[in-house]
Amino acid sequence: MSAPQYVRTPRLDFQDTQSARHVLARYFNATFSRYESLFETLVGDAAYYDKSISQRHPLIFYFGHTATFFVNKLILCGLIDQRINPEFESMFAIGVDEMSWDDIDETNYDWPSVTSVQQYRDQVRSLVNSLLESAPLTLPLDWENPWWVIIMGIEHENIHLETSSVLIRQHSLELVKAHPDWKVWARENPKTPDPRNAPENRVVEIPGGSVALGKEQQSPVYGWDNEYGAHKADIKSFHAAKYLVSNQEFLPFVEDGGYANDAVWGEEGLQWREFAAVNAPGFWLLEGKAWKLRLMTEVVEMPWAWPVEVNYHEARAFCNWKAQQSGEPVRLPTEEEWYRIYDSAGVDAPVEGQISKANIHLDHGASSCRVDQFPHGDFYDVVGNVWQWTETAIYPFEGFRVHPYYDDFTMPTMDGKHNLMKGGSWISSGNETQRSARYAFRRHFYQHAGFRYVIADAPEEQQISHYEDDKMLSEYAEFHFGDTYFNVENFPKTLADIAIQAMGDKPCVKALDIGCAVGRASFELARRFDEVRGIDFSARLIGLGVQLAEQGVVRYSITDEGELKHYCERRLSDLGLQEHSHKVTFSQGDACNLKSSYTGYDLVLAANLIDRLYDPVLFLGTIHERINMGGVLMVTSPYTWLEEHTKKDHWLGGYKSDGENVTTLDGLKSVLLEHFELLREPQQVPFVIRETSRKFQHTLSDVTLWVRK
């Protein structure tokens, strides 16, 4: 049964709950029905169990997956407290994300019957409709509201409508069939221009200007977490292709041996090309001497005027080839440049009840169409027809937050390996059609995606920003920049405050933070000192400090319990440290073998370091060479001497000698008093290290201050 046409992702600024219930029920049922109708293109049950591609589950998984998503998220948000089918809701919960082109999943599953999955979907439909009719609802309907999960489930269904259609398009032809709800463009619109002759592409100048990206939290339209926040950029003028690259425009690249021309493929692209053994776009089929095109349920004569559909590597290789041919800097646009094209073209967003002025939202047919069919300002297909690859790897906007009910939607993609695609395709629906939509895929990924090229200088190198999930790094990041626990103040900040106070009216030109880890104390010392150098043996730890100094932000995940995570974002500006960060430099180094150039310091901080050194006496016996007369050495340590770090005969204390106890303070005095005076009695400063939401380490560190004499 056909789903109602022109049902769009709704505005959520409802004035009353009855309107909200009615609108969401219509949206849910239309989307749920349309998804089920897609699977009616499969021929027999066997089509559900044969894999379209080896790197994905069979289609039976995706048939059940979107339904179990509703139940799993409704349990999570508390709108329901009982499951429908726990076995299904486990089996269909998590799919195979195509994270690597050579990562082939061979796991065997005991898949249920198609009939039982359809029955399950019927139960889910009944459940959601019951909730929409009678579950408690309080406005506003924002992402803090449990009902947000219902909209999330609908938009999740829209995503899989598209990705499942790609799998069907990659399925064996004998396992699919035509369907009245899924007519291709030529049959839906028989009077459209001849698809065999593509227009000659040319470029249009886009004047320089600014773009504003990001969605405000109070936006009345649903968004995925990566859309929220803000990003602004000034874009220099550039030229952009009037049309998407057509099959006809792409053909000379194929005929010129572009797929065998190593010079136009990047390293990652070459690896994929060799693995896939390709010599043409994935949906092109060569029958005799004639190229044909695989659509979702059939093969047709090549529609040369339709947009070519390729992955990022192929699109980029074409641009490099065209640059070789033309001598011009041809490349893919950045996300920011796509927005500049979008804003310049004056594109209209889809409107409820009205047919789109683009080949999008399944408003016109179930396939691409000519690249000169839908004008948008001086361009065509700024949105719709096929997705458009960009050069931009997905990154978080300022103010990005992970949604607690779907914390792995965006996070795994923020790794510098998933590029953004913009504009949507003929099947893109709901949220996918919005200006704010941000979807990123692996660069080898096949979707209903093509590209538009630009002529412009190389884009600035993008700073990839991702969440650190290494356990050690994340714990250090939280220890230095995270929350306080059990009313224990931030330890690195406390140490820096003590050090600055101890300096009094002494010169505060240069400070050295040895064992700086991820650098909080270094940044805090920069409040008072003109230059601060942080040194640590671990390049991994230094890396986070460098990222903070350069970008002002660090993101990491910390363990809640088991595999569950919290995602954190910490900014120097929020700590009042941004304005001083330019005074901080980080270096990797060995505290027991520092470079000779590290001298002339007014303060040296060695925080929780000495009981981790392989030769603490060597360090302490030479540190006076680094400090100006009258300068201060601050040594802190819990005195946790372990042979895994320091051989026992190198311990400063914590042992007996001639029957008497030798403390670490005794050892410090024996080494340091030749060149230093103890400024005052030791002070104990507590610190707390968070391991999980329920496991913490509480420790006391002895703080001693020494003045160079």
Side-chain angles (χ1 to χ4, degrees), residues 545-569:
V546 170
Q547 179 182 323
L548 270 165
E550 292 178 350
Q551 301 179 26
V553 62
V554 62
R555 300 178 177 90
Y556 55 93
S557 62
I558 54 177
T559 300
D560 178 13
E561 58 181 273
E563 295 181 347
L564 304 181
K565 303 284 187 181
H566 291 304
Y567 296 96
C568 306
E569 175 181 287

Side-chain angles (χ1 to χ4, degrees), residues 438-453:
R438 302 181 84 220
Y439 291 87
F441 296 90
R442 280 275 179 171
R443 292 185 273 265
H444 70 283
F445 191 94
Y446 270 105
Q447 189 67 343
H448 306 300
F451 65 103
R452 181 191 311 276
Y453 53 80

Side-chain angles (χ1 to χ4, degrees), residues 253 258 261 264-266 312-322:
F253 170 71
N261 182 356
V264 300
W265 297 81
Y312 166 86
H313 299 305
E314 293 167 298
R316 191 164 189 257
F318 174 90
C319 290
N320 291 337
W321 170 82
K322 190 170 181 65

Side-chain angles (χ1 to χ4, degrees), residues 13-21 137 139:
D13 49 352
F14 300 108
Q15 299 303 306
D16 60 85
T17 57
Q18 280 306 112
S19 295
R21 294 178 190 277
L137 170 60
L139 301 179

